[in-house]
Amino acid sequence: MNALIHPGVSFEVQQGSMDLVGMHLDLKGTFDLTAANPQARIQGALQNITVAPVVESFFTPPAPISGMGLLNYTLRFPLSASWIQGLNGSLQVQVNTGVLRFLKTYYRITSILNLGTYLSFRFPKITAQGIAFETVTGTLTFQNGVLTSEDLFLKSPSMNLGAKGSVDIP
């Protein structure tokens, strides 16, 4: 890590890099050292993410998605206990070769109705545990803790699926 301390003003990470549990994190940014409303402003990338264990650290197992991912981020948030309520910025996400475990019923119905599946002699998997996908990509945007996406896209051998919406994280 290369960093500078600007006394009484900020801690500036000019270049940071870390390998942890097989993942690689690159980070640069500033962390205010002021007493009044200190903020963090960070950007970088996280690579080689084993998605399921990360998701399970936030939600009850089993994880609704698996695969290997990468993430580019630009985030700003207050340095306080209520940081999530002031989280702003964007995440560009890509997850490769995994399974989306929710929407199983939707997947089963659409795979039966998908004429292309029959024409390519790939018969639908009625017992599928979820949607096996090649990639999930999209940009996730935080604004005061509300997570929004307009371009989340799943590509699988049986179907392509797009989604947009918002979730209030706090």
Side-chain angles (χ1 to χ4, degrees):
M1 176 186 302
N2 293 327
L4 293 173
I5 295 178
H6 303 280
V9 178
S10 67
F11 175 72
E12 177 186 1
V13 178
Q14 295 176 326
Q15 178 184 0
S17 182
M18 177 178 19
D19 291 315
L20 180 65
V21 194
M23 296 183 286
H24 179 76
L25 173 69
D26 289 318
L27 170 94
K28 66 180 181 177
T30 59
F31 300 86
D32 292 342
L33 298 176
T34 57
N37 194 26
Q39 298 280 310
R41 290 166 288 288
I42 60 173
Q43 64 183 23
L46 183 58
Q47 302 170 353
N48 302 324
I49 305 164
T50 304
V51 175
V54 172
V55 172
E56 286 176 351
S57 70
F58 292 100
F59 301 101
T60 337
I65 187 170
S66 65
M68 290 298 288
L70 62 97
L71 175 72
N72 292 307
Y73 60 90
T74 302
L75 299 170
R76 188 182 78 241
F77 52 91
L79 294 172
S80 69
S82 58
W83 68 274
I84 195 82
Q85 295 163 336
L87 182 60
N88 291 288
S90 65
L91 308 171
Q92 293 184 330
V93 178
Q94 180 173 335
V95 180
N96 299 312
T97 315
V99 175
L100 187 64
R101 288 189 175 80
F102 57 96
L103 301 174
K104 288 186 267 192
T105 302
Y106 173 79
Y107 175 69
R108 290 172 183 159
I109 292 168
T110 56
S111 64
I112 289 170
L113 299 175
N114 186 347
L115 182 60
T117 302
Y118 295 104
L119 294 176
S120 64
F121 297 106
R122 291 178 306 178
F123 295 101
K125 297 178 182 174
I126 304 303
T127 60
Q129 295 302 306
I131 303 171
F133 62 83
E134 296 167 6
T135 60
V136 173
T137 58
T139 302
L140 306 174
T141 304
F142 285 98
Q143 185 169 8
N144 295 322
V146 176
L147 176 64
T148 303
S149 180
E150 296 289 328
D151 65 349
L152 204 53
F153 190 75
L154 176 140
K155 180 180 179 193
S156 81
S158 300
M159 71 172 66
N160 296 326
L161 183 65
K164 68 179 186 175
S166 298
V167 176
D168 189 344
I169 301 296

